[in-house]
Amino acid sequence: MKDIFTVLGYDIGGTKLGVGLVRSDGKLLGQARIENKDTKPEDILPQMVEEGMKLIAENGLTKDDVRAIGISAPCPADIPNGILTAPTNNQNWRNVPIKQYLSEHFGIKTYFDNDANAGVLAEWFFGAGKGAKDIIYLTMSTGIGGGIIANGKLVQGASYHAGEIGHMVLTIDGPDCPCGLKGCYEAYCGGVATAKRIQRELADQPNHPIIKLAGGKLEDVDLIALEKAVRAGNDYAVALWDEICLRNAQAYGMLLNMLNPEKIILGTIAWAAGDLFMEPVLKYVPRFAWKETYEACEIVCSELQREIGYYAGAAVALNHLREEGEFQV
Ligand SMILES: [Zn+2]
């Protein structure tokens, strides 16, 4: 019989911080959210300990029952040392040694990884990637992050930057990306990049239907407004959506021929838009991949969807325990 034990996970998002107490068989024992907009680490770190302790106590456990803690963190970060170096969505957090803080305050071994790696681990242990050996997870939200499991192991890379799929360059001299390169996949398909593009292209059309669907303000136009406009049949929106689907298919095709995965698991945009996104993307992928790699792979939506944050940190902890031989998938 498999040893069943408990881990505690933290997922540090831009506006919310998720806490999840998770059993190794996938049962979410408890969850909490901490507001994390414009916060300071000296306020949030003690709250993280407090909420974690509360979840442990609510389940009739003590911290001695928790085998490990995992942290899913935004980039950029110092992965091996567990330091949040300069998260782009919160200027107050600079060089915060969060792994050391939690491990000292709980007295429990603590592990740290970036959120896309945590995402692929969460889908692998608990979601759409269960039982597979070769999977890729893409976050597909404001930006595009990636995590890769190859031959049954998380791919970290020589300097912990493996999986930066959103910054594969799709076109020479393409649109600027905040990372400093031009023509990145994220510059074509990321939520923020797409919103900015629409805002730029419609700056002189205040009555455009997309702006109305965003509530009337150009600066509020986002992917949700774009999706609504596509469903309403607006020509500009339909053409842009089709271009985005084609670019996504190009990126998936590159991944298929590079890594020959069993599954590519897609985050937010894919499950939120459903068939409106998946149908054109699946139609276009064969233009960019060999039949052999396309037919070996299922391109699917995330199973954990908006719950993924409660599992992400725990999955980081479980993966380290797995690599140390304490846990089997
Ligand atoms: Zn980039």
Side-chain angles (χ1 to χ4, degrees):
M1 203 177 113
K2 268 192 184 173
D3 174 26
I4 292 177
F5 57 89
T6 304
V7 292
L8 179 63
Y10 292 92
D11 178 56
I12 303 163
T15 57
K16 298 267 196 310
L17 196 152
V19 193
L21 188 68
V22 179
R23 229 166 48 187
S24 55
D25 62 355
K27 186 168 171 53
L28 181 63
L29 297 175
Q31 77 238 45
R33 270 180 180 236
I34 301 172
E35 291 299 319
N36 190 32
K37 199 165 168 56
D38 304 322
T39 54
K40 294 194 173 67
E42 55 268 34
D43 299 326
I44 289 294
L45 292 172
Q47 270 191 62
M48 289 173 71
V49 175
E50 200 180 306
E51 290 294 339
M53 290 300 287
K54 220 185 334 177
L55 288 181
I56 293 167
E58 280 168 6
N59 281 279
L61 303 172
T62 72
K63 61 183 183 158
D64 291 343
D65 298 311
V66 176
R67 183 85 58 99
I69 295 172
I71 304 162
S72 154
C75 286
D78 175 345
I79 303 283
N81 294 307
I83 298 171
L84 283 172
T85 50
T88 48
N89 46 22
N90 193 330
Q91 303 298 323
N92 299 321
W93 291 60
R94 288 293 174 270
N95 299 312
V96 180
I98 191 164
K99 173 173 143 179
Q100 187 191 349
Y101 183 92
L102 292 178
S103 102
E104 283 177 6
H105 280 75
F106 280 98
I108 298 171
K109 55 185 175 181
T110 303
Y111 302 98
F112 180 99
D113 214 323
N114 77 50
D115 47 15
N117 284 350
V120 78
L121 291 169
E123 289 288 343
W124 190 30
F125 296 144
F126 309 123
K130 265 195 261 184
K133 277 176 75 183
D134 292 273
I135 61 169
I136 298 168
Y137 170 70
L138 291 164
T139 57
M140 310 286 298
S141 174
T142 50
I144 295 175
I148 301 165
I149 305 288
N151 201 18
K153 194 169 174 8
L154 177 69
V155 180
Q156 297 271 25
S159 65
Y160 296 90
H161 289 92
E164 287 296 351
I165 293 165
H167 302 281
M168 299 189 302
V169 172
L170 301 186
T171 307
I172 292 170
D173 292 332
D176 288 334
C177 180
C179 79
L181 297 175
K182 285 176 185 293
C184 291
Y185 169 30
E186 180 175 305
Y188 286 104
C189 298
V192 170
T194 304
K196 284 193 173 154
R197 174 178 171 181
I198 299 170
Q199 289 163 13
R200 205 172 51 241
E201 291 178 352
L202 300 184
D204 59 353
Q205 297 181 55
N207 296 318
H208 195 280
I210 296 187
I211 301 172
K212 285 191 184 146
L213 289 165
K217 285 193 191 147
L218 181 66
E219 63 267 30
D220 291 338
V221 167
D222 57 8
L223 277 183
I224 296 169
L226 174 63
E227 184 196 333
K228 285 181 188 163
V230 175
R231 291 191 192 278
N234 174 261
D235 288 345
Y236 169 85
V238 168
L240 177 57
W241 189 262
D242 190 59
E243 186 190 324
I244 290 171
C245 290
L246 185 63
R247 284 290 180 190
N248 275 301
Q250 181 187 10
Y252 306 159
M254 291 164 79
L255 296 174
L256 286 172
N257 274 21
M258 191 190 320
L259 289 158
N260 190 196
E262 291 163 72
K263 281 190 179 174
I264 295 179
I265 302 166
L266 304 175
T268 313
I269 295 166
W271 57 259
D275 287 346
L276 189 72
F277 179 83
M278 294 303 286
E279 278 180 9
V281 165
L282 293 177
K283 183 183 78 187
Y284 288 138
V285 171
R287 284 171 62 173
F288 303 103
W290 281 2
K291 191 168 171 279
E292 290 85 346
T293 60
Y294 178 67
E295 287 180 350
C297 184
E298 252 187 290
I299 301 175
V300 297
C301 296
S302 157
E303 263 181 30
L304 299 173
Q305 300 194 356
R306 63 180 86 249
E307 300 285 300
I308 198 163
Y310 298 124
Y311 289 95
V316 170
L318 280 176
N319 189 50
H320 280 270
L321 295 175
R322 194 190 65 82
E323 291 190 347
E324 289 162 16
E326 287 192 44
F327 170 63
Q328 284 185 336
V329 185

